[in-house]
Amino acid sequence: MKNTDLLKQYGQEHLLRFYDELSEDEQKSLIEQINQADFTLLDALQHKDQNKATDDKGGSLAPLGALEIDEIKKNRAEYEEKGLEAIRAGKVAALLLGGGQGTRLGFDGPKGSYNLGVTRDFYIFQAQINNMLDVCKQAGCYFPLIIMTSDKNDVETRRFLKEKNYFGYPEEKIRFFRQDMAPSVDFNGKIYLEGKAQLSLSPNGNGGWFKSLVKSGLDKELAESGVEFINVFSMDNVLQRICDPVFIGATLLSGCNCGAKVVAKNAPGEKVGALCLKDGLPTIVEYYEMGDELAAEKDENGKLKYRFGVILNYLFSLKRMYEIVDGKMPLHIVEKKIPYIDEKGVLIKPETPNGYKFEYLATDTVRDMLSCLSFEVEREREFAPIKNKEGIDSVVSARELLAKNGIIC
Ligand code: UTP
């Protein structure tokens, strides 16, 4: 069998441990998974440094500053008009990063199908689509909505949205594509088996979105229809404005290749990435990479120096995305709890992290864009992330923030 050499080279022969017990179909499926798996990811483990991406070589850090709320208010009409014009001309599409597993929420289904409601049904997908419909109403047209899923939730995501009639968004404007998967390994770099004929694979992080979009061929459909900018956004934030004309207009007028919505951090240690300049390029430094001292540094006005945190809502130039698509992205190696089968074939669900997953992050794309407009939004009106069931960034906190914005659910 030709891939035994590959398995040997990477020390992964154990993946065939149960091979002889498998049916012919299962054997085929296992070999197919091995052929498809990207073993080169494992090389990254050799220069792994916890909490740092594989290419992180430090660099000089400076604040980037932002187009702040007061400034935006002054020019709002101009930005809005420019943004609406771009939407009406079909130059903007929205892309929802829906490939995550939402493990912190602990919900057994696509995160978007989680029902937030207490007094009525109100799903995360519904919140996002309602936000988009507001803009469509204002613009008088619909923009393309592209939804990234993963092998783990694709079927269920499509089924759910269809059953709910896409919450009123026109079906012909919606497209789906699947993101790539990456193997999960133990602390010694051995790929886990999830079943006797099943490698442990998980979505490869939200940063692979453009490569996977190109693989699906959907990028061509967008480019041919005249799309020039893609508003990439996360599933978590149920208050965010998507394809916000003011944000789009300001980014276009700035001439930057990218725009990023940011909020002023509520504390130095808040768990959001800070948009900074690193060696002169726009760069997002994750909260766990920054260190407490730097995060607490103040500027001459007594404000936090690195006070603008990203909320995973970006506008990316399609032209620039094509220029960088073949480039190598930094790889993040993250400790996670990974279910696996042991040598006897018994399924183990660990209570503490037992290995690594490999992830690319959308935040890393910002640096490759070379220029980025940092665009401040009011956190009370646009930032209600759902990561957990309760506590900070949770279903409960999001419900309260929705209510403050007149959305009772
Ligand atoms: P998170 O980083 O919060 O990850 O995703 P997650 O998988 O949803 O949740 P946890 O960490 O397991 O609790 C931020 C956004 O990126 C998307 C998510 O769907 C969410 O919109 N994402 C994440 C992907 O699309 N693909 C991935 O591989 C990871």
Side-chain angles (χ1 to χ4, degrees):
M1 196 181 12
K2 68 179 180 3
N3 43 28
T4 43
D5 287 346
L6 186 71
L7 291 178
K8 208 168 179 183
Q9 181 191 336
Y10 282 97
Q12 304 293 335
E13 295 102 316
H14 64 282
L15 294 177
L16 298 178
R17 184 180 286 138
F18 302 103
Y19 189 80
D20 294 337
E21 297 176 27
L22 304 177
S23 69
E24 214 171 295
D25 280 353
E26 287 171 330
Q27 288 179 339
K28 259 197 213 146
S29 157
L30 180 62
I31 296 301
E32 178 68 16
Q33 292 164 51
I34 292 172
N35 285 336
Q36 298 267 320
D38 182 359
F39 282 85
T40 63
L41 293 176
L42 304 173
D43 295 335
L45 289 170
Q46 276 147 36
H47 28 92
K48 183 190 78 60
D49 180 2
Q50 198 56 42
N51 294 341
K52 279 201 171 18
T54 47
D55 79 333
D56 193 331
K57 299 180 183 68
S60 73
L61 210 61
L64 171 61
L67 188 59
E68 297 189 28
I69 290 166
D70 288 347
E71 186 69 17
I72 295 170
K73 271 189 189 144
K74 277 189 230 152
N75 300 308
R76 191 182 163 87
E78 188 195 356
Y79 296 155
E80 191 164 53
E81 198 188 310
K82 179 84 183 164
L84 286 171
E85 197 183 286
I87 293 170
R88 290 183 187 126
K91 291 185 182 170
V92 189
L95 190 146
L96 170 56
L97 300 169
Q101 293 181 282
T103 43
R104 281 170 284 177
L105 185 61
F107 169 64
D108 208 21
K111 195 163 174 175
S113 63
Y114 186 85
N115 188 353
L116 289 176
V118 177
T119 59
R120 61 177 171 124
D121 287 344
F122 192 66
Y123 301 92
I124 293 182
F125 267 127
Q126 186 176 5
Q128 307 291 12
I129 291 177
N130 283 353
N131 296 344
M132 285 182 258
L133 287 172
D134 283 347
V135 176
C136 295
K137 203 164 157 197
Q138 195 187 2
C141 66
Y142 295 98
F143 42 83
L145 167 60
I146 317 295
I147 302 177
M148 181 168 87
T149 62
S150 83
D151 287 358
K152 303 258 182 200
N153 68 12
D154 183 76
V155 172
E156 188 51 24
T157 300
R158 290 174 193 245
R159 191 201 59 73
F160 175 80
L161 283 171
K162 196 169 176 58
E163 181 191 295
K164 300 291 177 196
N165 208 10
Y166 305 95
F167 294 107
Y169 212 81
E171 187 175 1
E172 67 277 11
K173 283 283 177 186
I174 302 180
R175 296 283 182 279
F176 296 87
F177 71 101
R178 289 184 195 210
Q179 72 173 101
D180 292 329
M181 304 290 279
S184 312
V185 298
D186 69 14
F187 288 133
N188 297 313
K190 304 279 181 205
I191 297 174
Y192 275 121
L193 280 171
E194 205 173 80
K196 290 183 177 177
Q198 179 63 50
L199 302 197
S200 169
L201 297 170
S202 59
N204 68 345
N206 56 28
W209 69 272
F210 193 66
K211 275 199 171 121
S212 302
L213 183 78
V214 169
K215 222 178 186 182
S216 77
L218 270 178
D219 64 306
K220 287 198 189 68
E221 188 180 322
L222 294 177
E224 280 161 14
S225 71
V227 168
E228 292 176 11
F229 279 84
I230 304 184
N231 187 182
V232 171
F233 65 101
S234 83
M235 186 70 85
D236 312 334
N237 181 4
V238 285
L239 267 186
Q240 69 192 315
R241 299 256 295 151
I242 299 145
C243 285
D244 171 0
V246 184
F247 172 53
I248 293 170
T251 306
L252 296 187
L253 287 166
S254 75
C256 292
N257 288 324
C258 148
K261 285 198 169 186
V262 297
V263 291
K265 283 166 57 169
N266 62 9
E270 189 183 8
K271 290 185 173 178
V272 289
L275 183 50
C276 313
L277 276 178
K278 195 169 181 183
D279 295 330
L281 290 176
T283 305
I284 290 152
V285 180
E286 290 297 341
Y287 62 91
Y288 49 79
E289 294 170 332
M290 183 162 260
D292 298 345
E293 220 170 281
L294 198 60
E297 258 183 40
K298 302 247 170 96
D299 64 15
E300 59 283 0
N301 301 317
K303 289 184 173 174
L304 288 179
K305 210 164 152 187
Y306 298 101
R307 67 179 172 284
F308 295 114
V310 285
I311 60 170
L312 227 179
N313 189 314
Y314 303 106
L315 191 67
F316 290 119
S317 143
L318 187 56
K319 182 165 169 274
R320 181 68 193 149
M321 287 306 305
Y322 277 121
E323 286 166 6
I324 63 168
V325 64
D326 293 327
K328 214 168 153 41
M329 285 191 84
L331 188 61
H332 298 255
I333 300 170
V334 200
E335 281 191 16
K336 294 262 178 167
K337 291 184 246 175
I338 304 158
Y340 67 99
I341 55 163
D342 65 13
E343 297 92 70
K344 295 196 184 86
V346 179
L347 181 67
I348 313 282
K349 290 190 174 171
E351 304 267 311
T352 52
N354 59 330
Y356 303 117
K357 290 189 177 182
F358 299 94
E359 293 184 346
Y360 295 106
L361 299 183
T363 47
D364 289 322
T365 307
V366 171
R367 186 168 40 167
D368 289 333
M369 290 282 123
L370 307 177
S371 54
C372 176
L373 177 75
S374 176
F375 180 96
E376 189 189 7
V377 297
E378 279 176 57
R379 53 183 306 145
E380 290 273 300
R381 293 173 61 93
E382 269 214 52
F383 192 42
I386 299 175
K387 298 286 186 192
N388 310 297
K389 272 215 167 93
E390 289 167 356
I392 296 171
D393 298 343
S394 68
V395 173
V396 178
S397 61
R399 224 181 260 137
E400 282 165 12
L401 284 160
L402 281 165
K404 276 190 189 162
N405 283 277
I407 303 162
I408 310 293
C409 63

